[in-house]
Amino acid sequence: MPDTTTPTLTLPGGAIPVLGLGTWQSEGSDAELAVSAALQLGYRHVDTATGYGNEAQVGRVLATRGIDRDDVFLTTKLPPDHADRARQTLMESLAALGTDHLDLWLIHWPPGKQARPDVWEELRRSRDEGHVRSIGVSNYSIAQIDELIAATGEAPAVNQIPYSPVDHDAALLAAHRERGVVVEGYSPLKRTDLAAEPIAAAARAHGVTPAQVVLRWHLEHDVVVIPKSVRPERLEENLAVLGFTLSPDEVAAIDTLGR
Ligand SMILES: NC(=O)c1ccc[n+]([C@@H]2O[C@H](COP(=O)([O-])OP(=O)(O)OC[C@H]3O[C@@H](n4cnc5c(N)ncnc54)[C@H](OP(=O)(O)O)[C@@H]3O)[C@@H](O)[C@H]2O)c1
């Protein structure tokens, strides 16, 4: 069970907190400090990947912070070049993370730019065996998701894709929703011009930072968001977006930054 303070969306294998901690480029002791500070602040969702090289750091913090494993939503990702040894990679991830199950396991990128239903079958098997609660993909197109559905009858629970105001595409969000796929947005801040007027205007109106407006905008669209920071004050700032809402007009104005 994830925490009770972060709202959640429903996945087939359980609830996903709508805001989590990103950990790409959080390395070594920085990763441990970030995960530790985030859990202390109340984050209950951590996004890592085999490719980030920090699963062991994440696992160490989870083991020492005294937080019930069931209270943290844990995601990791299968690197595309491990597609033919998915099971072995999963076992290594579980060992590094110090857990017997993941909450979400994603195919990090389409292996060889292909959908690879056979790899998707491997994820389904791992889920059926109880090692993973929900399974999904990352950086997949709608056409590739449809290929997985056609081959197996099962849609990914999640597609983790780059998402920020300049990426906004209502048709793309609708296409995911129609297939029952939750969108998780990555690089929400990096991809954003925080000085853009609709963002700055909403920040002034609510007395918050432009970064907070951007993260809140994701939540208004039911896009799960996983901002990365290694600075405690920013971790706190980012989590505080649970404490205000944007009006439909503010959301619509920010939407115009997209395509
Ligand atoms: N599936 C994929 O292919 C994929 C690809 C990329 C990312 N991801 C995931 O998505 C997560 C987030 O994406 P990301 O790390 O690329 O980018 P991001 O979260 O948009 O941006 C992180 C950058 O923004 C800074 N930052 C954090 N909070 C801030 C704030 N309140 N105000 C101003 N700057 C702030 C961070 O610096 P400090 O750390 O110095 O605070 C860092 O430089 C990743 O960590 C990873 O877990 C997945």
Side-chain angles (χ1 to χ4, degrees):
M1 277 280 294
D3 76 330
T4 48
T5 53
T6 305
T8 57
L9 291 174
T10 303
L11 302 183
I16 180 169
V18 295
L19 188 138
L21 174 69
T23 65
W24 181 38
Q25 296 172 325
S26 298
E27 285 157 12
S29 59
D30 266 1
E32 290 193 40
L33 283 173
V35 177
S36 185
L39 292 174
Q40 175 77 27
L41 287 163
Y43 286 73
R44 291 294 181 268
H45 171 178
V46 178
D47 181 87
T48 181
T50 299
Y52 300 167
N54 59 18
E55 287 174 324
Q57 282 77 10
V58 173
R60 203 149 39 235
V61 175
L62 290 174
T64 53
R65 276 244 61 112
I67 290 183
D68 196 339
R69 168 69 189 90
D70 286 344
D71 288 340
V72 181
F73 188 97
L74 196 53
T75 302
T76 195
K77 313 186 191 89
L78 174 70
D81 59 345
H82 287 220
D84 296 321
R85 47 191 159 108
R87 190 181 179 77
Q88 182 195 334
T89 304
L90 173 62
M91 293 306 145
E92 288 164 4
S93 287
L94 292 174
L97 290 163
T99 182
D100 63 358
H101 73 278
L102 301 174
D103 295 286
L104 181 62
W105 194 32
L106 306 177
I107 304 175
H108 203 151
W109 288 86
K113 302 191 177 164
Q114 304 299 312
R116 294 287 303 266
D118 60 317
V119 181
W120 181 233
E121 283 289 12
E122 279 294 316
L123 269 72
R124 297 179 74 222
R125 198 166 305 130
S126 303
R127 186 267 322 277
D128 293 346
E129 289 172 354
H131 302 298
V132 181
R133 297 269 153 86
S134 295
I135 49 175
V137 295
S138 179
N139 299 299
Y140 270 56
S141 67
I142 292 294
Q144 289 170 325
I145 287 173
D146 283 343
E147 226 183 290
L148 300 184
I149 298 171
T152 65
E154 179 173 357
V158 164
N159 190 17
Q160 188 179 113
I161 54 175
Y163 214 75
S164 70
V166 289
D167 302 305
H168 182 59
D169 181 343
L172 184 68
L173 293 187
H176 282 91
R177 202 158 293 139
E178 281 159 19
R179 289 158 178 79
V181 182
V182 167
V183 174
E184 225 181 330
Y186 72 68
S187 303
L189 301 172
K190 261 185 199 165
R191 301 172 67 83
T192 301
D193 172 9
L194 294 175
E197 185 47 29
I199 296 172
R204 285 193 299 272
H206 292 275
V208 298
T209 66
Q212 288 177 308
V213 168
V214 172
L215 301 176
R216 186 68 225 180
W217 171 88
H218 287 75
L219 302 189
E220 305 296 355
H221 278 297
D222 280 340
V223 171
V224 174
V225 73
I226 45 172
K228 171 262 179 188
S229 181
V230 293
R231 305 190 204 189
E233 67 279 11
R234 282 181 171 173
L235 292 170
E236 188 170 7
E237 176 183 335
N238 296 345
L239 188 65
V241 308
L242 300 176
F244 73 100
T245 57
L246 296 172
S247 71
D249 284 350
E250 288 168 330
V251 172
I254 297 168
D255 288 353
T256 65
L257 298 170
R259 47 190 90 158

